[in-house]
Amino acid sequence: MQSVDIDAAARRLNASYRLVEREEIYDSGFRLPNARDLLKYARVSVTLADRVRLLGLLDQEGSLPMSDCLGAIRNTEPVAAIASMILHRFIDVELDDAILGPETMVRRIRG
């Protein structure tokens, strides 16, 4: 598929895309391994109660280490819930700095 076809398809879906050089993907350090880890949880459904608790905690405290966020999750497996919320753009983490872990800072996405 040519770039023009992809651009037109993305516009039809009201989506966006960005062409990335191979080196940017494979030489970027931690982004690809972190993305692989997160994608395992793409189909996890986070309960409304867990989502509200975590987002409320982040509203109250600001950015928190992932280890501090785990306690807010009660009805879903905590790591799976946080990964799912990252993928569904409720919260954000830095994927490029290091492998995701307990010290990874979690931020709420507004909007």
Side-chain angles (χ1 to χ4, degrees):
M1 188 178 270
Q2 293 183 337
S3 179
V4 176
D5 297 335
I6 295 170
D7 187 48
R11 276 197 310 267
R12 278 194 305 275
L13 296 171
N14 198 23
S16 63
Y17 82 99
R18 178 172 72 95
L19 188 60
V20 179
E21 296 293 326
R22 180 178 178 83
E23 293 78 27
E24 187 177 345
I25 294 172
Y26 293 102
D27 296 341
S28 66
F30 302 106
R31 180 172 287 267
L32 187 58
N34 283 334
R36 283 183 180 142
D37 285 343
L38 290 174
L39 285 174
K40 296 172 187 170
Y41 301 103
R43 294 185 182 205
V44 170
S45 178
V46 180
T47 65
L48 176 60
D50 283 342
R51 193 168 58 241
V52 168
R53 261 192 304 280
L54 180 56
L55 294 177
L57 178 65
L58 291 170
D59 279 345
Q60 183 179 356
E61 301 295 328
S63 297
L64 289 170
M66 191 178 299
S67 59
D68 290 353
C69 295
L70 297 174
I73 309 297
R74 298 184 188 143
N75 301 316
T76 313
E77 195 277 314
V79 172
I82 290 173
S84 178
M85 290 180 68
I86 292 167
L87 290 169
H88 290 96
R89 308 219 17 96
F90 288 102
I91 57 178
D92 186 43
V93 296
E94 182 55 53
L95 297 174
D96 295 323
D97 290 348
I99 291 292
L100 295 175
E103 68 286 340
T104 301
M105 294 303 288
V106 177
R107 300 171 289 286
R108 179 172 181 178
I109 295 177
R110 298 263 179 215

